[in-house]
Each structure stands twice: as C-alpha cells, then as structure tokens.
Amino acid sequence: MTKPDLMMLCPQRPAAMAQLDAAYRVHRWDLAPDKEAFLAQHGPACRALATNGHAPLTRQMLDLMPRLELVACSSAGFEGFDLATMAQRGIALTNSSPALCDDVADTAILLMLAARRGLVAADAWVRSGDWARKGPFPLQTSVAGSRLGVVGLGTIGQAIAERGAALGMQVSYWNRRDKGAQWRFVPDLVQLARESDTLVAIVAGGEGTRGLISAEVIDALGPQGLLVNVARGSVVDEEALIDALSSGRLGHAGLDVYASEPDPDPRLTSLPNTTLLPHHASATVQTRDAMAQTVVDNLAALFAGRELLTPVDLGAYLPG
C-alpha cells in the first residue's frame, strides 16, 4: 500500500518522527537547499503538512500545495501562518495547546513567585556572601490575598486562574467575550490592570493582539504591579514596558517571551526589576513529546476520516 505524502516544514521529536516516517512518505522541506523548488516538486501530492509555529507558511507556499487539507502544528502559536488563505481554502489547522497547558501555566506561576519573592536576587545574596556580610535578605511581597488578572481565558488562561486561586489570590480576567467562568469578568483591560497586583498575558500572538498590553495598561498596573508574559512578545508594547520599568512606573516584569528572540533588547535584559526565561515555558521532555504526538494523532485522524483532535477555529480569519 502506498504511503500518503506528508510535507514536513519542521522536524518533530524522535518518537513522533519515527511514527511519521513509518506511516507517511515524508518530504523534508526543512532540509531542502532550494525550498521553493522542493515545494513545487512535492507539494502537489501532499494532503497534509507538519510544522511548528516558528516556520512561516505563506500564501505562496500554500499555492504550491493545492491538495492541502490539514496543517498540523506542534506548538500553540501560529502567527507566521497565512490564516486568511487557509480559512478561505478550507484548510484545517490543529495545534498543541492542550498538551502544553500545564507547563505554561506552571511557568506563569513560577515567574510570578520568583518575581514577588526576589528569587534571582536572593540566590545571588547567598552565593555572594552578602547574607553573612549584610544580614538577612530584604523583605519581599506575598501573593496570598493579592489580586491576579488573567488576560485571555483560553485553556491555559483557565489553568493559570485555577493555580492563582489555589494560592489564595483574588482572580479576575479579561477576554474578548465573557466565558461565564467562576472568576470575575472585566471587559475593560485597563480597568483589569488597575484592579490587579499581577497581570498575566496568555493570549494568542499575531496582528489581532499586537500591543494589546499597551502603555495605558502598563501604567494602570502601576509602580507596585507585576506584569507576567507567557504569551508572545508581540502582545506587549515593549518600548512602553522598558520605559515604565526604567522610570519605576511599573514595579516588575516576569517574561518568557520578547519582541526580538533570541536576542532581547539589552535595555530590557539589563534592568534589575525583571525576571527572565528564554521562551522556555513548554520546554520539558514530557510536554514537547506530547506536543509532537498531537501532530501524529491529528494526521492519523485526517487520513482515517475521523474528527480532528485539536482543531483551531479559523472562522474569524475568513475575509469579509
């Protein structure tokens, strides 16, 4: 029996790759020296494509795959894809949000606690000998009883809210629509920031959310406020963030993502009131394996004629 053709823009984890190699005739675009020619040669035979959110998927690329039915993405984000063209052509998209939910939610809480308790500075205090020379580390800030604002109440946002509530925090959220959740819905993002001690951004990237955490939102969070971003760097107005942190108008930022990666703005990384991770929220062996497995499982569903496991609604991207 002839194996179906599969276009591979980005390699997957070893266990997933072994399954894909066994089930499909895999065309490795990522290894091709002339990528356009490679797509022109092999793209017409492919009903499915495997990738992650870091590779581009343009209209020109899609035009070279006229039979394409599914883009199976092993990451949560997909802002580099031409979603309007995909929606117009009826190409389905799946991603891995459920697989990475717990690790990303845990990382948001990790950044919050590390920032509020001064973990990085406290570690240096012990290692440098300042504890013996200068005495106890300065008092820090408790999170129990404080106010948590969650920006985006999708799957991961709900997990962050649940963790915040378990820590004794008062949880509110902003979303494009009221999700009818157990926590207080605040339709105005500036108001949510004003009424929060910690604001966590966990919305999708892309043009629709670019600069959503604006200068006005940052100023509303205030000089005692903490901004945590585990979404995408584009979600935050980084110039405004740097200015607010430098001037003391914002207390602290806990960041996993940046406007420029992997080389964040040195004005940001040099600030003492930042706690930083290298876009690592989902980066555990278990979660990355599970993310890759969603690609395998969604592809299997397509070719078996079954319902896709983790579809993304592209209805909002239809022109007009």
Side-chain angles (χ1 to χ4, degrees):
M1 182 176 177
T2 304
K3 294 180 181 180
D5 290 85
L6 172 66
M7 184 61 63
M8 175 77 68
L9 298 194
C10 296
Q12 303 298 314
R13 295 281 296 165
M17 282 299 298
Q19 295 175 72
L20 295 174
D21 284 331
Y24 306 101
R25 185 182 177 200
V26 178
H27 301 287
R28 295 291 300 271
W29 176 91
D30 59 304
L31 301 179
D34 187 336
K35 290 178 166 42
E36 185 175 359
F38 187 85
L39 271 183
Q41 180 181 356
H42 300 292
C46 296
R47 292 175 55 200
L49 178 152
T51 187
N52 66 29
H54 301 293
L57 185 56
T58 65
R59 185 186 187 96
Q60 291 73 23
M61 295 169 71
L62 291 167
D63 286 344
L64 294 173
M65 295 177 279
R67 296 182 61 211
L68 193 65
E69 298 176 33
L70 171 64
V71 173
C73 180
S74 62
S75 60
F78 39 78
E79 54 267 29
F81 300 174
D82 187 336
L83 300 174
T85 296
M86 289 174 60
Q88 196 169 28
R89 285 179 45 183
I91 300 169
L93 172 65
T94 59
N95 74 347
S96 63
S97 287
L100 54 78
C101 173
D102 286 331
D103 269 346
V104 175
D106 287 348
T107 299
I109 299 302
L110 168 69
L111 284 168
M112 178 183 71
L113 291 173
R116 286 302 188 196
R117 297 303 299 268
L119 177 63
V120 177
D123 179 89
W125 192 265
V126 175
R127 295 178 189 276
S128 67
D130 281 350
W131 190 9
R133 289 193 299 269
K134 298 180 181 180
F137 188 67
L139 296 178
Q140 301 297 302
T141 303
S142 175
V143 300
S146 67
R147 302 167 299 173
L148 172 63
V150 180
V151 182
L153 203 72
T155 302
I156 303 172
Q158 292 183 51
I160 292 169
E162 289 167 356
R163 285 159 170 76
L167 290 171
M169 303 180 78
Q170 304 169 41
V171 179
S172 302
Y173 73 95
W174 174 93
N175 202 66
R176 294 199 184 279
R177 60 179 179 84
D178 187 348
K179 300 293 282 284
Q182 59 185 297
W183 308 287
R184 187 172 68 104
F185 172 59
V186 181
D188 184 280
L189 186 49
V190 173
Q191 179 187 345
L192 178 66
R194 189 177 299 116
E195 296 175 354
S196 298
D197 299 301
T198 300
L199 194 70
V200 178
I202 184 59
V203 293
E207 291 306 312
T209 57
R210 185 172 298 279
L212 180 68
I213 308 299
S214 62
E216 187 179 8
V217 172
I218 292 167
D219 284 343
L221 191 52
Q224 302 304 314
L226 165 63
L227 174 66
V228 173
N229 188 9
V230 287
R232 286 290 187 268
S234 60
V235 168
V236 174
D237 181 337
E238 198 166 276
E239 284 293 329
L241 176 64
I242 292 168
D243 183 63
L245 288 168
S246 301
S247 67
R249 299 197 322 277
L250 178 66
H252 202 103
L255 307 173
D256 185 48
V257 290
Y258 310 88
S260 175
E261 297 181 7
D263 55 345
D265 193 317
R267 295 176 299 159
L268 182 63
T269 57
S270 65
L271 290 170
N273 51 341
T274 56
T275 302
L276 309 175
L277 288 175
H279 201 150
H280 217 246
S282 68
T284 65
V285 171
Q286 295 84 353
T287 287
R288 289 292 170 86
D289 282 346
M291 291 163 68
Q293 190 62 41
T294 64
V295 170
V296 175
D297 295 343
N298 278 301
L299 289 169
L302 171 73
F303 286 102
R306 300 192 306 267
E307 186 175 344
L308 299 174
L309 281 74
T310 59
V312 176
D313 183 5
L314 295 182
Y317 299 98
L318 280 168

